[in-house]
């Protein structure tokens, strides 16, 4: 197996999705499928079971993954250590994050980053708020920020996706929606959503559309600047709020209910940094974030 085949096989074994695998590797979906088919022909047996709904590893595929993944990771670590020594990656790397699940993803990368670059200290330094979540990059409080996409700013570079989540709707526990098994985005027009001062308009509109598909306006009410203030507003019965599903794990409260949003697009969290401050430390961390974990 050559490097392309190993990398493609291990990435698909993690993602179990050809499109996401292709995006991570910077390949076309057709090229990704071609590499896997060629590998399967060489081995003489399918490594993945494919249906119109899902991709899964065959028993031999699992055996191959379990056999080569540890060795591949060790090779990558040693190559990275040698490269870091040659580039002189040392000093400090300050990381900001948006949401606790994103902090958890960063902590996993930090552990491996320190193994590869022992002379560079990466630290979680602050949690950004919902009003101007990009401000810590611009005032240079952090070097890298893991935040909720989209980010479309001329002075910022967008890096790899770290986390994908579904959406839920936060409502008061006595709200009529609280007893439902799911809601639709159009249901936002039945109530009021908060206004977030300072957030980019395109970012806010992406996650809280100004109108339902029927054309009905979605009312934006009281203004908030922090996540906890937004939850308090919802608990008080003053608004409802779309959130990613990490809220159900980290912010369970008796006065709130979280209802899955059936037709919302998948939420992506990823790395962003100030373009003019890009350096070897940032590039090394972003490259590591692109690899399977």
């Amino acid at each position: 197996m050559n490097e392309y085949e190993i990398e493609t096989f291990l990435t698909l074994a993690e993602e179990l999705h050809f499109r996401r695998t292709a995006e991570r590797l910077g390949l076309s979906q057709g090229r990704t499928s071609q590499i896997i088919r060629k590998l399967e022909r060489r081995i003489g047996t399918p490594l993945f079971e494919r249906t119109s709904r899902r991709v899964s590893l065959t028993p031999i595929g699992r055996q191959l993954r379990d056999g080569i993944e540890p060795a591949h990771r060790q090779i990558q670590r040693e190559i990275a250590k040698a490269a870091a020594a040659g580039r002189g990656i040392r000093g400090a790397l300050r990381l900001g994050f948006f949401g606790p699940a994103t902090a958890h993803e960063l902590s996993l990368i930090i552990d491996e980053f320190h193994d590869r670059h022992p002379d560079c200290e990466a630290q979680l330094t602050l949690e950004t708020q919902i009003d101007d979540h990009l401000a810590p990059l611009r005032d240079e409080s952090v070097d890298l920020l893991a935040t909720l996409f989209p980010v479309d700013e001329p002075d910022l570079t967008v890096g790899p996706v770290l986390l994908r989540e579904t959406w839920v709707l936060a409502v008061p526990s006595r709200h009529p929606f609280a007893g439902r098994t799911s809601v639709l985005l159009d249901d936002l027009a039945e109530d009021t959503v908060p206004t977030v001062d300072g957030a980019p308009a395109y970012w806010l509109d992406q996650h809280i559309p100004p109108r339902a598909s029927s054309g009905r306006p979605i009312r934006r009410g009281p203004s908030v600047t922090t996540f906890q203030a937004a939850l308090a507003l919802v608990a008080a019965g003053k608004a409802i709020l779309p959130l990613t599903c990490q809220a159900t794990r980290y912010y369970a409260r008796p006065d709130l209910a979280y209802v899955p949003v059936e037709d919302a697009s998948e939420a992506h969290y990823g790395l962003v940094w100030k373009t003019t401050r890009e350096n070897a430390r940032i590039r090394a961390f972003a490259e590591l974030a692109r690899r399977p974990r």
Side-chain angles (χ1 to χ4, degrees):
M1 294 174 67
N2 60 38
E3 177 65 20
Y4 266 122
E5 291 171 332
I6 294 172
E7 193 77 19
T8 304
F9 170 74
L10 290 177
T11 304
L12 182 58
E14 180 190 5
E15 293 285 356
L16 297 177
H17 194 285
F18 276 90
R19 178 180 57 78
R20 291 200 296 265
T21 297
E23 289 174 353
R24 275 180 56 175
L25 296 175
L27 302 173
S28 69
Q29 192 168 328
R31 176 59 177 153
T32 302
S33 298
Q34 183 184 45
I35 292 171
I36 295 299
R37 287 196 302 269
K38 181 180 177 182
L39 179 59
E40 289 177 325
R41 286 196 300 270
R42 183 183 307 158
I43 292 175
T45 188
L47 302 174
F48 296 91
E49 294 178 354
R50 308 160 176 83
T51 69
S52 60
R53 301 176 67 101
R54 63 192 293 266
V55 176
S56 61
L57 283 161
T58 64
I60 292 176
R62 287 194 296 273
Q63 176 184 317
L64 181 62
R65 178 201 61 193
D66 295 344
I68 68 175
E69 187 175 40
H72 182 258
R73 288 189 177 185
Q74 180 62 29
I75 290 169
Q76 294 301 312
R77 280 195 293 268
E78 294 306 319
I79 292 173
K81 285 181 183 179
R87 293 194 301 267
I89 295 178
R90 54 177 57 89
L93 188 64
R94 301 162 302 163
L95 305 173
F97 62 94
F98 184 92
T102 315
H104 175 70
E105 290 296 315
L106 286 176
S107 68
L108 299 177
I109 302 170
I110 286 171
D111 288 342
E112 191 169 354
F113 184 82
H114 287 160
D115 286 343
R116 295 176 178 231
H117 310 294
D119 294 328
C120 184
E121 181 68 19
Q123 296 181 357
L124 292 172
T125 57
L126 65 83
E127 181 176 11
T128 190
Q129 293 299 326
I130 59 176
D131 54 346
D132 188 356
H133 60 121
L134 303 174
L137 288 173
R138 293 192 167 116
D139 66 22
E140 300 181 2
S141 300
V142 299
D143 304 302
L144 271 171
L145 176 65
T147 192
L148 179 61
F149 287 170
V151 173
D152 185 13
E153 305 289 326
D155 59 330
L156 302 180
T157 296
V158 176
V161 171
L162 298 178
L163 180 66
R164 296 175 173 87
E165 291 203 330
T166 57
W167 287 87
V168 295
L169 183 64
V171 301
S173 57
R174 296 184 179 181
H175 195 280
F177 291 169
R180 292 193 187 181
T181 57
S182 66
V183 293
L184 301 174
L185 285 172
D186 278 3
D187 289 325
L188 294 175
E190 301 296 330
D191 209 311
T192 300
V193 297
T195 297
V196 182
D197 285 343
Y202 69 84
W203 184 84
L204 191 60
D205 289 349
Q206 172 75 21
H207 305 309
I208 307 177
R211 291 185 176 274
S213 60
S214 63
R216 294 175 61 193
I218 295 174
R219 299 187 302 276
R220 293 187 179 172
S223 176
V224 294
T225 58
T226 69
F227 184 68
Q228 291 296 343
L231 289 183
L233 196 66
V234 173
K238 303 296 184 181
I240 58 178
L241 180 64
L243 299 170
T244 63
C245 65
Q246 62 180 280
T248 65
R249 305 191 299 275
Y250 293 99
Y251 299 106
R253 292 174 45 160
D255 52 357
L256 293 177
Y258 296 109
V259 187
V261 181
E262 186 177 318
D263 58 342
S265 300
E266 188 178 60
H268 292 176
Y269 292 82
L271 290 178
V272 186
W273 59 89
K274 195 172 182 179
T275 303
T276 56
R277 290 182 59 82
E278 182 175 315
N279 55 39
R281 294 187 296 274
I282 290 173
R283 288 192 293 271
F285 195 92
E287 178 62 28
L288 190 57
R290 290 187 176 94
R291 298 185 178 275
R293 290 183 297 283

